[in-house]
Amino acid sequence: MYQSNFRSGILFTLAAVLTGATLVAGVGIYLGLKTVDTSTKSSETSNLTPQEDISSETSHLTPQEDISEAPVETLVPPQKVSVVPPDSSPKNQLSKNLGGADLQGRDLRGRNLSNADLGGANLRNANLSGVDLSSAKLGGANLEKANLINANLSHADLGGANLRNANLKGANLNNTRLDGANTKGATLPY
């Protein structure tokens, strides 16, 4: 009986020590990775040029207006968008995944956003005049008061998008999905 209790005690002690060691190692690894992640983020943001830093580009804009009328809420937080300088890329493309991005009031003329994912993005008052948005995913995007004159929206998905008071004069809407889109006050091409 004594030997059985002694073995149980040793096994219990050994299990407790191993559990404690595992927890300490896990916390150490977590803190180490968090430190590396923080230092990586700070070095990335310190290397940004004014063209890549959206906050410096939008500092001249008027205060944001209420966008509570957007038809679809997104849980995706606004993302920092890296903009390619106009002459450094032959296609002048922004990143293809801009879902949930805050691009309110931005001048995106001359950009190639074909096949881009802009679902839930805030493009209120954005200048998208002549922009190639063919086959882009704009479901639930806020395009209120956006300038889409002569934009190519062929095969784009604008389902549930807010196009209230947007200017679509001359825009290509061939095979564009507009199910559930708010077009109240929008200037349509036809």
Side-chain angles (χ1 to χ4, degrees):
M1 180 88 150
Y2 173 73
Q3 228 176 6
S4 175
N5 285 342
F6 183 69
R7 282 186 189 159
S8 295
I10 289 176
L11 287 175
F12 179 76
T13 303
L14 183 59
V17 169
L18 288 174
T19 302
T22 303
L23 286 172
V24 169
V27 169
I29 291 170
Y30 170 78
L31 292 175
L33 290 174
K34 186 141 178 100
T35 303
V36 169
D37 186 44
T38 303
S39 65
T40 303
K41 284 182 183 174
S42 65
S43 69
E44 285 175 358
T45 56
S46 66
N47 293 332
L48 290 177
T49 63
Q51 285 182 328
E52 295 171 325
D53 185 6
I54 285 182
S55 61
S56 66
E57 272 191 37
T58 58
S59 62
H60 66 281
L61 297 176
T62 58
Q64 291 185 354
E65 298 177 39
D66 180 25
I67 59 168
S68 60
E69 295 178 11
V72 175
E73 229 176 89
T74 177
L75 296 178
V76 178
Q79 300 173 359
K80 187 167 264 199
V81 179
S82 176
V83 178
V84 177
D87 295 330
S88 69
S89 171
K91 292 185 179 178
N92 205 11
Q93 291 184 315
L94 286 177
S95 169
K96 290 294 188 175
N97 185 2
L98 298 168
D102 186 2
L103 299 170
Q104 178 173 318
R106 296 287 304 274
D107 185 353
L108 300 171
R109 287 177 296 176
R111 303 291 182 188
N112 180 354
L113 295 172
S114 60
N115 296 303
D117 183 356
L118 290 153
N122 182 10
L123 293 157
R124 187 172 204 254
N125 291 316
N127 188 352
L128 297 157
S129 177
V131 172
D132 184 1
L133 289 159
S134 58
S135 300
K137 295 174 186 79
L138 291 151
N142 183 13
L143 291 155
E144 183 174 355
K145 298 181 182 176
N147 178 1
L148 292 157
I149 294 175
N150 297 321
N152 182 4
L153 292 160
S154 65
H155 300 280
D157 180 2
L158 289 160
N162 183 12
L163 292 162
R164 185 177 189 158
N165 297 317
N167 190 348
L168 292 145
K169 188 180 287 184
N172 180 353
L173 297 177
N174 290 335
N175 297 307
T176 301
R177 181 176 171 238
L178 290 165
D179 303 348
N182 178 2
T183 58
K184 184 176 181 182
T187 304
L188 299 173
Y190 37 84

